Amino acid sequence: MMRRNTRPGNPAGWAFGLIAALVVFAAWPAGAAVFVQEPPDVDGVDTNSDGDPNNDNVYMHLAAGDGFVNMADGKLMYCFGFSDVTGTYDEMAMMQGMLAAEFPGPTIELREGDRFYLSLTNVGMMMRPDLFDPHTVHWHGFPEAASIFDGVPEASVSINMGSTFTYFYKVVEPGTYIYHCHVEATEHMQMGMLANLYVYPIQDMLPNNTPLGGGWVHHTGDAYAYNDGDGSTYYDVDYAIQLGSFDPDFHDASLSVQPLPFAMMRDRYAMLNGRGYPDTIVEAPLANSETGHLSQKLHSKITAAQGETILLRLSNLSVTEYFTVTALGIPMKVIGTGARQLRGPGGEDTGYWTTSVTLGGGETADVLLDTTDVEPGTYLFYTTNLKFLSNDQEDYGGMMTEIEITEP
Ligand SMILES: [Ca+2]
Ligand SMILES: [Ca+2]
Ligand SMILES: [Ca+2]
Ligand SMILES: [Ca+2]
Ligand SMILES: [Cu+2]
């Protein structure tokens, strides 16, 4: 609680935060409270095929609000974002979520057959008490259980400040998705309300020694990107890597209550999972310099032993940029796009080997890196949009990370 009060010396910020808190509470309808719905799994059916009929319901509680992150050159960036308040007492969730925005937002990782209850609490904008923006969660590319859970505010519901809503997702399609807030999407996405989301296929749960097509035999613990039926999407290690970019002028304008330059949006920080190189390879979560909150939790350092297959769950949620990425020196096969395995009408494998993948905003791709003939050492994964190998003015940074191939 009182996370605000632990902030390092910034009296103006403290006062602003306190006023914002008072505004939030003053605006809170009498009797309104955080209400998180977590119905027990009592259907007696093992929908996620792990042998237990009573563990298929998964619960998560996100807060939506504002906060800060730092770019790799130190630049402090005001953000909107999500934070994970799962398990927090309902009465504490508002306080816990205030100024706690993370970029990217907390990763959602599920299993095909799960029943997912995602509660979203809008904690308000502590640094912008003049704003009353609602928020939503939109699962990009996912078939909804009902359209009310879609998160496009014009077509479903959005969550007002002080309110909580529980989304329900029947997790029926494996693959690599993304989620973001869809309220005033250009603004709230540029401001950082973006995250990774993926679903493991039910094929992972097959009994030991199950024969599949093409002579493949499934062993317990084997993992696949999709229900491929033949092991063609098998991987040893997987990493979700979200491409994104920020325009510092837009973020600064938002913090200083200036008109937002929508038409002039020009992103100058390109990132992987919310960080520019070399921050991308720092495996520890990063605290921001304004509040000390751990607001950039996701690194992008990729590690595998020679011979292992790496699955990269790539996505792009930049509002302004297409990005082309490459893993120089490591063969790459695209096996899925838009959360669908690449297969022809007759079931033939239409995946393809390539040296690069290009993703526009809202696109995802699943790529396998084959390290069979790759000498142990450090390789780079980076964008070939060379101007984005920088952190604004600082050269040699931006959209790049390292792939460490160790001895087999
Ligand atoms: Ca189960
Ligand atoms: Ca069940
Ligand atoms: Ca707005
Ligand atoms: Ca960052
Ligand atoms: Cu939002």
Side-chain angles (χ1 to χ4, degrees):
M1 201 169 162
M2 310 312 285
R3 178 179 301 282
R4 251 177 11 271
N5 292 349
T6 63
R7 296 170 68 203
N10 179 351
W14 277 44
F16 205 19
L18 184 61
I19 292 165
L22 292 173
V23 169
V24 167
F25 290 122
W28 222 341
V34 172
F35 176 47
V36 172
Q37 300 182 67
E38 297 184 346
D41 178 6
V42 292
D43 63 359
V45 183
D46 179 21
T47 54
N48 69 4
S49 293
D50 70 343
D52 184 345
N54 304 318
N55 72 346
D56 307 308
N57 289 6
V58 180
Y59 317 104
M60 191 176 195
H61 186 188
L62 293 178
D66 60 353
F68 294 92
V69 298
N70 287 94
M71 299 294 93
D73 64 351
K75 161 77 180 166
L76 183 71
M77 202 76 91
Y78 178 54
C79 286
F80 301 167
F82 300 104
S83 62
D84 188 354
V85 293
T86 307
T88 306
Y89 289 116
D90 289 357
E91 311 79 63
M92 307 281 281
M94 288 289 290
M95 294 306 293
Q96 204 68 254
M98 285 175 185
L99 273 182
E102 294 172 18
F103 182 62
T107 298
I108 296 178
E109 181 186 331
L110 293 163
R111 191 160 285 295
E112 182 181 350
D114 284 343
R115 303 288 187 254
F116 188 51
Y117 294 84
L118 175 61
S119 299
L120 181 69
T121 298
N122 182 344
V123 302
M125 309 292 199
M126 300 304 288
M127 303 306 293
R128 288 294 306 274
D130 57 313
L131 292 182
F132 294 86
D133 289 39
H135 296 294
T136 67
V137 170
H138 171 68
W139 282 23
H140 197 107
F142 189 82
E144 307 298 335
S147 57
I148 194 173
F149 301 120
D150 186 57
V152 176
E154 297 80 3
S156 58
V157 295
S158 54
I159 321 306
N160 287 320
M161 205 166 71
S163 301
T164 301
F165 180 76
T166 300
Y167 293 83
F168 171 72
Y169 303 92
K170 193 173 173 183
V171 184
V172 290
E173 292 277 358
T176 298
Y177 301 89
I178 32 195
Y179 80 90
H180 62 84
C181 174
H182 217 302
V183 173
E184 297 163 351
T186 314
E187 176 194 4
H188 286 214
M189 292 177 71
Q190 167 68 242
M191 289 302 288
M193 306 194 79
L194 321 168
N196 289 301
L197 162 64
Y198 49 92
V199 175
Y200 299 117
I202 216 149
Q203 184 173 302
D204 290 357
M205 311 310 292
L206 288 172
N208 196 30
N209 289 320
T210 303
L212 294 175
W216 183 271
V217 178
H218 172 84
H219 297 109
T220 298
D222 286 355
Y224 313 88
Y226 290 94
N227 293 311
D228 53 49
D230 57 12
S232 58
T233 68
Y234 171 89
Y235 63 86
D236 295 291
V237 291
D238 66 327
Y239 291 88
I241 306 268
Q242 189 157 105
L243 320 180
S245 52
F246 277 171
D247 171 7
D249 296 336
F250 194 94
H251 289 248
D252 289 351
S254 188
L255 182 59
S256 55
V257 200
Q258 298 300 310
L260 297 174
F262 278 87
M264 314 231 300
M265 214 181 258
R266 187 169 73 87
D267 292 3
R268 306 206 298 277
Y269 289 94
M271 296 167 278
L272 298 172
N273 285 333
R275 303 181 189 180
Y277 184 84
D279 285 356
T280 49
I281 61 168
V282 177
E283 296 185 41
L286 300 181
N288 74 70
S289 60
E290 175 68 12
T291 66
H293 182 68
L294 294 174
S295 48
Q296 285 157 288
K297 291 189 171 144
L298 216 51
H299 72 86
S300 304
K301 171 104 189 257
I302 300 159
T303 309
Q306 185 189 34
E308 288 188 325
T309 300
I310 304 167
L311 169 64
L312 298 184
R313 303 175 178 279
L314 302 176
S315 63
N316 179 2
L317 272 176
S318 170
V319 175
T320 65
E321 301 293 334
Y322 283 75
F323 289 109
T324 301
V325 286
T326 187
L328 196 62
I330 305 182
M332 176 192 282
K333 186 182 185 186
V334 181
I335 55 164
T337 60
R340 290 294 180 277
Q341 189 186 358
L342 290 178
R343 282 283 162 94
E348 64 273 24
D349 186 356
T350 54
Y352 59 94
W353 293 92
T354 182
T355 52
S356 70
V357 179
T358 299
L359 294 176
E363 293 187 310
T364 67
D366 300 282
V367 306
L368 296 180
L369 301 183
D370 178 3
T371 69
T372 307
D373 298 319
V374 177
E375 289 299 312
T378 301
Y379 298 78
L380 294 174
F381 177 85
Y382 61 96
T383 181
T384 56
N385 307 44
L386 301 180
K387 72 169 183 173
F388 286 118
L389 292 176
S390 61
N391 304 306
D392 194 13
Q393 312 262 347
E394 180 185 88
D395 205 6
Y396 199 63
M399 186 173 284
M400 180 160 71
T401 189
E402 295 177 2
I403 303 174
E404 179 100 30
I405 304 298
T406 60
E407 298 287 340

